[in-house]
Amino acid sequence: VLLNERRNFKVLSAAMSSLGGTPIQLVTGDMSNTIPDEKVVIAYLSCLCERLLDLREETRAARTIQVAWRRHIAHRHERARLAAMRTQLERAERAAITLQKNLLAWQKRSAFLRLRSAVIRIQAFVRSRALHPDRVRFLELKSATLTCQSRQRANVHRRAFLLCRQSAILLQRMWRTHLARQQYQRLRCSTIDMQHLYRKNRATQEAVQHYHICRGAIITMQSAVRMHLARQRFLACRLTAILLQSHVRRVAARREYTALRTAAVQIQQRVRA
């Protein structure tokens, strides 16, 4: 409890220092594990209230300044917006005046050109009526000239067209030949690769088959040789076993014969005695 009171007093002192500080009237011992003096506490609270009132006045003054500054900024932005709108309206008005001027000038020029064209047609018609015989001959000569020119131009254009057509056909033929050669080369390379793979696979299969045949023959030969060796060992073991059996039987028969002979001799001796 005493440690918590000291910590609370330190927090209070730090808060008062941030508010501007107060006269040193209290220490940790006056506020911890005892009843503080009433006058000292009242004086301390009075200083604290004074600091808070000063801060309130400063906050109010700062708020008033902020409101005035924001109002000033708002008026400035409003004046700038009105000036920009006025500038845009002036530009739009100048653009509209320019468009109207250009439109009126274009309308007047179009009317002038239509009037000029009509006057030129009327003058041509009047002049053609005044020079009728010469005009007929001129028109006939003009028609014949135009016919000759059109035929000559048609021949020239036809020759140029035929030349371009032959050149295009030749280019197409060369391009198709190039494409066919490329396709043939790709097909030939693919065929060669396929043949190589087929021959390689076939040679591998033949080698594997020959290996299996040789392996089978070797295994057969090994089995035959092993069978022959095993048969020889078996026959040798059998002969040895037969010899051992015959020797053992011979020894057993000789012992039996010797025992029988000894018994017969003893019986004969007893009978004779």
Side-chain angles (χ1 to χ4, degrees), residues 13-271:
S13 299
M16 292 301 297
S17 298
S18 64
L19 291 175
T22 58
I24 301 174
Q25 297 177 353
L26 296 175
V27 294
T28 307
D30 295 336
M31 299 296 290
S32 300
N33 199 17
T34 183
I35 298 174
D37 190 0
E38 183 178 357
K39 294 180 180 180
V40 177
V41 174
I42 291 172
Y44 201 80
L45 291 175
S46 299
C47 293
L48 178 61
C49 291
E50 184 181 359
R51 295 298 181 186
L52 291 176
L53 289 174
D54 293 338
L55 290 175
R56 183 167 174 243
E57 292 177 357
E58 292 177 359
T59 304
R60 185 180 297 172
R63 188 178 300 167
T64 304
I65 293 171
Q66 287 179 354
V67 170
W69 176 252
R70 289 172 182 172
R71 189 180 296 113
H72 174 69
I73 294 296
H75 287 311
R76 182 184 294 176
H77 287 320
E78 185 67 21
R79 287 195 299 271
R81 188 176 65 82
L82 292 174
M85 290 179 62
R86 191 178 297 109
T87 303
Q88 291 180 359
L89 289 174
E90 290 177 356
R91 290 180 180 176
E93 185 178 359
R94 288 196 298 270
I97 292 171
T98 303
L99 289 173
Q100 288 178 356
K101 288 181 179 179
N102 292 329
L103 180 61
L104 292 174
W106 179 76
Q107 290 177 354
K108 290 181 179 179
R109 182 173 177 81
S110 299
F112 170 73
L113 292 175
R114 287 195 297 271
L115 181 61
R116 181 185 176 189
S117 177
V119 170
I120 290 172
R121 284 198 297 270
I122 292 172
Q123 288 178 354
F125 180 75
V126 171
R127 289 171 183 173
S128 65
R129 290 295 181 182
L131 302 174
H132 181 66
D134 295 333
R135 180 174 176 78
V136 172
R137 288 194 298 273
F138 171 74
L139 291 175
E140 291 177 354
L141 182 61
K142 182 180 179 181
S143 178
T145 304
L146 291 175
T147 303
C148 292
Q149 287 178 353
S150 63
R151 290 182 178 179
Q152 182 65 26
R153 290 172 183 171
N155 291 329
V156 171
H157 287 298
R158 181 175 177 81
R159 290 176 184 175
F161 169 73
L162 293 176
L163 181 61
C164 292
R165 183 184 177 186
Q166 290 178 358
S167 301
I169 292 171
L170 181 61
L171 289 173
Q172 289 178 354
R173 186 183 301 166
M174 293 177 66
W175 177 249
R176 289 172 182 172
T177 304
H178 176 68
L179 292 178
R181 185 179 290 110
Q182 286 185 348
Q183 186 177 3
Y184 168 72
Q185 291 293 336
R186 288 195 297 270
L187 183 61
R188 183 171 179 271
C189 292
S190 301
T191 306
I192 291 172
D193 293 337
M194 291 177 65
Q195 289 178 352
H196 178 69
L197 290 174
Y198 173 74
R199 290 170 183 171
K200 185 177 180 180
N201 292 329
R202 186 174 179 181
T204 304
Q205 291 178 359
E206 290 178 355
V208 171
Q209 187 176 3
H210 180 69
Y211 167 74
H212 285 300
I213 292 172
C214 293
R215 184 171 179 270
I218 292 171
I219 290 171
T220 304
M221 291 175 66
Q222 287 178 351
S223 63
V225 171
R226 289 172 182 172
M227 181 182 69
H228 178 69
L229 294 176
R231 183 175 179 83
Q232 286 182 353
R233 287 195 297 272
F234 170 74
L235 293 175
C237 291
R238 183 184 177 188
L239 182 60
T240 304
I242 291 170
L243 291 175
L244 287 173
Q245 288 178 357
S246 62
H247 180 71
V248 170
R249 289 174 181 173
R250 182 173 61 81
V251 171
R254 180 176 292 174
R255 287 179 180 176
E256 185 178 0
Y257 170 72
T258 303
L260 290 174
R261 182 181 177 185
T262 302
V265 170
Q266 290 178 359
I267 291 170
Q268 287 178 2
Q269 289 177 0
R270 287 182 181 180
V271 171

